[in-house]
Amino acid sequence: MARFTPKIRAMARQSLVDRDVEFIEGYRVKEVTTGRITLDSGESHDVDLIFLALGVKPSAIFASSGLAMGPDGGLLVNRFLQCPAYPELFGGGDCISFAEHPLDKVGVYAVRENPILFQNLMAALENQALMPFDPGGNYLLIFNLGEGMGIFKKSWLTFGGRTAFTIKDWIDRRFMKKFQAMEK
Ligand SMILES: Cc1cc2nc3c(=O)[nH]c(=O)nc-3n(C[C@H](O)[C@H](O)[C@H](O)COP(=O)(O)OP(=O)(O)OC[C@H]3O[C@@H](n4cnc5c(N)ncnc54)[C@H](O)[C@@H]3O)c2cc1C
């Protein structure tokens, strides 16, 4: 949660504290064995379940292929979502590093990039002009905290609670319905 505001972090933290989650901070995990984790302080803890939440990293395939990468190890693409050194290669979603400015690894961008990606792949095949990708402004972010609760963030507006989750649920269900309709 490091990239979020103290208010958002506090709400997420409280949601876990309310469910008796204990925080042990300031250490790195040194070793994971069955039923036990050991921290770099030497302290170890018995565990029932290990759930890793380390963030998204693009595949190592780009590093081993010698293609140009961005700082996050993603395939470096220009504003046409195109690999500059190999113009026949295009990319979108979590695996790219957008040269213009870094983009969060969220589905919002993958979805916004899709039509441009399709358009540019077709244009490249037909020697037509490519269309630049515009990431758009601040996107709406809603965390699902479980038990019908959420955290809402859009530009300067942040709030937590049931309304936040209800909005997310409505948006997500409406989005998924599009694809259910396609399968009929
Ligand atoms: C639990 C969770 C909840 C999320 N909730 C949201 C949300 O509410 N809103 C939001 O905007 N974003 C959300 N995200 C982020 C969002 O899911 C991703 O940003 C989005 O799916 C990225 O799309 P993508 O097509 O780039 O990659 P993916 O959807 O990850 O698709 C990549 C595909 O490539 C396949 N693949 C991988 N390696 C290979 C290989 N070597 N060969 C062939 N195929 C391969 C994978 O199996 C996968 O099917 C969430 C992510 C997670 C994990």
Side-chain angles (χ1 to χ4, degrees), residues 92-95 105-108 110 168 172:
D94 285 353
C95 72
K105 308 282 187 210
V106 290
V108 172
K168 176 171 176 57
D172 288 352

Side-chain angles (χ1 to χ4, degrees), residues 52-74:
L52 291 177
L54 303 172
V56 180
K57 288 218 169 65
S59 164
I61 201 168
F62 301 122
S64 56
S65 65
L67 291 162
M69 296 178 301
D72 61 1

Side-chain angles (χ1 to χ4, degrees), residues 26-71:
Y27 304 101
R28 292 186 75 80
V29 173
K30 198 176 78 180
E31 194 180 21
V32 178
T33 53
T34 307
R36 201 161 182 80
I37 60 159
T38 306
L39 306 179
D40 57 5
S41 62
E43 189 182 310
S44 65
H45 296 268
D46 290 334
V47 291
D48 297 318
L49 177 77
I50 299 171
F51 178 84
L52 291 177
L54 303 172
V56 180
K57 288 218 169 65
S59 164
I61 201 168
F62 301 122
S64 56
S65 65
L67 291 162
M69 296 178 301

Side-chain angles (χ1 to χ4, degrees), residues 81-148:
L81 302 176
Q82 184 186 36
C83 177
Y86 298 89
E88 67 276 29
L89 283 184
F90 290 80
D94 285 353
C95 72
I96 60 159
S97 190
F98 192 55
E100 304 268 305
H101 62 87
L103 298 176
D104 294 339
K105 308 282 187 210
V106 290
V108 172
Y109 289 124
V111 169
R112 286 181 187 171
E113 285 158 2
N114 253 336
I116 308 300
L117 205 47
F118 178 69
Q119 162 75 30
N120 285 350
L121 280 168
M122 298 310 283
L125 289 171
E126 293 165 2
N127 276 327
Q128 301 291 318
L130 301 180
M131 188 184 275
F133 171 64
D134 174 9
N138 256 325
Y139 61 91
L140 167 66
L141 186 138
I142 306 177
F143 287 114
N144 177 357
L145 301 178
E147 296 173 1

